[in-house]
Amino acid sequence: MDLSFGRESMTESLQRIVGAAEKRLTMPILGNARIRPSEDGGIQVDTTDLELAWRATTEGTISDGVDTTVSVRKLLDIVKAAPADATVQARIEGERLTVGFGKSRFSLATLPGHDFPEWEAAEIEHWLEIPQRLLRRLIEATMFSMAQQDVRYYLQGLLLVAQGSMLRTVATDGHRLAMNEAVLETKVGADQECIVPRKTVQELRRNLLDDETPVRVGFAPGQVAFDFGGARLTSKVIDGRFPDYERVIPKDLPGSLTVEREDFRQALARVAIVASDKYRGVRLMVGPGGCRLVTHNAEREEAEESLSADYQGDEVEIGFNLNYLVDVLNAIGADRIRMELRDGNSSALIQAEPADQARYVVMPMRL
C-alpha cells in the first residue's frame, strides 16, 4: 500500500482543512487536498484557495515519492464512513487513488501533486500564544460587525492588534463597531497590526476549541498564521488602512441606561414582528421611568413595548437598526447591559454591566 492511516486521525485532519478547499472550482485542483510525506514523519495534507492555506500532519505511513491530490470532501466522506477503529489503506494506480477498508473499496480521480499551487509562506517574525477559548471569545465578540460586500475592502475583515501582552480584535461596517481585547501571559516581540479576511476569520472560529489548549498566532509581512500544533492556518492579510477606531468610541456620555440583557433582547424580538423589512428601525424613548421601544412599517402598523430599566440622565429619543442591537446583545454574555447615550443624533456605547473589555458602538438612524 502507498498509504495507510487510522480513521480517527485522518478524519480530524481533513475536517480541519476542508474549509480552505475552493467550492466554486475555478481551478479543479483547488477542490483537492495534496497528500505527501511530512518532513517530520507521517502524512502531510494541504488545501488552499490561494488566499489562505491549511497544512496538517496526521499519523500514518506513506511511501517515499507519493505526491498526489484528491477531492478533499470525497476523501473525508469516505474516511468518516469507515468503522471507528479501522485502518484505511490506499494505493495510487495511474490517475486513480484506490481507498479501502474492510470489504469497501473506492476509486477516486487524482491530479498530480506538482500541479498544486505552492503556498509561499513568509518567514514568521513574531509569535504570541493564547488559549483557544480566549481567542475564540475575542473573535465571537466582534466578527459580526465585519462589513459584507463593501467597496471599502478593508472593512471586510477583522483587525488584529498585538501590543505587548495585549491582543485586540476590532470590526466595523461603518454603521457599528465592535472591539474586544485580552491580556496574555506572553508578549509579542514588537507591536503588530493586520486585517484578517472574512473567510480566514470564519475558518479560525470553526476550528478553535472552547478550552485552554493553546494556539500560536504569528505575524509576517503580508501574512498571518495560526498554529494549532498538528495543523497550521496561514492567510494573506487585507492591504488597507483600517479606520481610527479609537476616535469612534464615544466618551463621557451623560445618559446611562442599565437593563436586563435577556429582557431587552426579547422585547426587541417582539417589536420586530411589525418592523419595516427594509429599514428594520426601532425607536427608543429613554427616561427616568424606563425605556419604551416602538416600531412601525409602511402599512402604518405599530408595535410598542415598555421595558423596566435604570436610567440616569436627560430624556432621549433615538432610533437604531434593530438587528444591530440584537447582534450586540447576542455577543454579550453578561446578564445586564449598559447603554450610554448623549442625544438622538449621537452614537451609543453598549457594554456588559459590570463592564468588561468588550465595547460596542452603534450609530443612530433616522426614523
Side-chain angles (χ1 to χ4, degrees):
M1 285 290 131
D2 294 317
L3 288 160
S4 179
F5 48 84
R7 173 195 181 274
E8 297 300 325
S9 59
M10 183 59 83
T11 297
E12 181 181 348
S13 293
L14 293 177
Q15 284 180 328
R16 191 181 288 280
I17 71 172
V18 67
E22 179 62 50
K23 297 178 180 179
R24 296 186 297 273
L25 294 182
T26 52
M27 294 170 57
I29 202 168
L30 295 182
N32 288 4
R34 186 180 188 180
I35 302 173
R36 51 184 165 166
S38 169
E39 294 179 358
D40 301 324
I43 303 169
Q44 179 177 306
V45 285
D46 299 82
T47 55
T48 184
D49 66 357
L50 303 181
E51 297 298 321
L52 61 88
W54 271 109
R55 172 167 294 178
T57 302
T58 188
E59 296 178 356
T61 59
I62 183 170
S63 300
D64 292 338
V66 170
D67 190 359
T68 190
T69 75
V70 66
S71 168
V72 62
R73 289 183 173 83
K74 290 178 183 176
L75 182 60
L76 174 58
D77 288 343
I78 290 170
V79 175
K80 285 170 62 178
D85 58 349
T87 296
V88 181
Q89 296 182 327
R91 180 184 296 277
I92 299 173
E93 299 173 340
E95 297 181 351
R96 317 294 292 183
L97 180 70
T98 302
V99 184
F101 50 84
K103 297 182 180 180
S104 302
R105 293 292 182 273
F106 304 86
S107 180
L108 300 177
T110 65
L111 291 170
H114 58 76
D115 289 343
F116 194 80
E118 281 285 355
W119 179 269
E120 298 181 5
E123 184 74 24
I124 301 297
E125 299 178 349
H126 302 282
W127 287 99
L128 61 82
E129 190 172 284
I130 180 173
Q132 292 192 33
R133 173 183 287 132
L134 185 52
L135 181 56
R136 176 171 169 165
R137 189 160 70 237
L138 289 175
I139 291 172
E140 290 178 338
T142 51
M143 64 182 294
F144 64 89
S145 287
M146 294 186 296
Q148 299 187 49
Q149 299 178 337
D150 197 300
V151 294
R152 297 166 294 180
Y153 59 91
Y154 50 84
L155 298 184
Q156 299 185 54
L158 187 76
L159 180 68
L160 196 62
V161 181
Q163 295 175 340
S165 58
M166 183 275 295
L167 186 66
R168 176 181 296 153
T169 54
V170 189
T172 181
D173 60 6
H175 302 285
R176 54 181 172 173
L177 180 143
M179 184 180 81
N180 200 4
E181 61 187 34
V183 177
L184 312 179
E185 294 183 359
T186 59
K187 293 184 178 181
V188 66
D191 291 354
Q192 302 293 319
E193 185 173 303
C194 66
I195 306 175
V196 185
R198 169 181 292 276
K199 183 175 179 180
T200 304
V201 174
Q202 293 170 337
E203 274 297 288
L204 195 55
R205 165 63 184 83
R206 183 176 68 86
N207 281 276
L208 287 167
L209 300 174
D210 190 18
D211 61 24
E212 296 301 310
T213 305
V215 58
R216 293 200 304 154
V217 183
F219 299 89
Q223 292 186 13
V224 63
F226 303 90
D227 195 316
F228 290 81
R232 179 181 292 188
L233 171 63
T234 309
S235 171
K236 296 179 181 179
V237 299
I238 296 176
D239 183 16
R241 185 174 180 82
F242 202 81
D244 186 353
Y245 57 91
E246 292 183 328
R247 291 183 57 189
V248 174
I249 299 174
K251 298 175 176 63
D252 301 323
L253 299 177
S256 179
L257 175 75
T258 304
V259 62
E260 294 291 328
R261 182 186 65 88
E262 185 60 20
D263 290 348
F264 195 9
R265 193 187 65 81
Q266 291 185 13
L268 288 170
R270 288 189 288 269
V271 298
I273 295 172
V274 300
S276 167
D277 291 334
K278 183 176 181 180
Y279 298 108
R280 302 297 291 168
V282 59
R283 181 181 289 108
L284 273 62
M285 279 80 90
V286 182
C291 177
R292 282 197 305 131
L293 289 69
V294 177
T295 59
H296 64 272
N297 57 32
E299 287 75 37
R300 296 185 178 181
E301 298 170 330
E302 278 196 2
E304 181 176 324
E305 182 96 14
S306 295
L307 196 61
S308 297
D310 297 326
Y311 182 72
Q312 297 178 348
D314 297 333
E315 292 187 359
V316 174
E317 183 173 330
I318 187 170
F320 291 109
N321 182 305
L322 188 150
N323 294 340
Y324 291 175
L325 294 180
V326 172
D327 286 343
V328 170
L329 296 178
N330 288 337
I332 295 176
D335 292 335
R336 291 166 65 82
I337 66 104
R338 184 174 74 246
M339 177 185 290
E340 297 182 21
L341 304 163
R342 185 179 307 279
D343 52 46
N345 300 312
S346 303
S347 296
L349 175 65
I350 305 174
Q351 291 181 275
E353 175 59 37
D356 56 18
Q357 298 301 318
R359 283 172 280 178
Y360 303 93
V361 179
V362 183
M363 291 181 62
M365 65 183 299
R366 295 182 179 180
L367 297 175

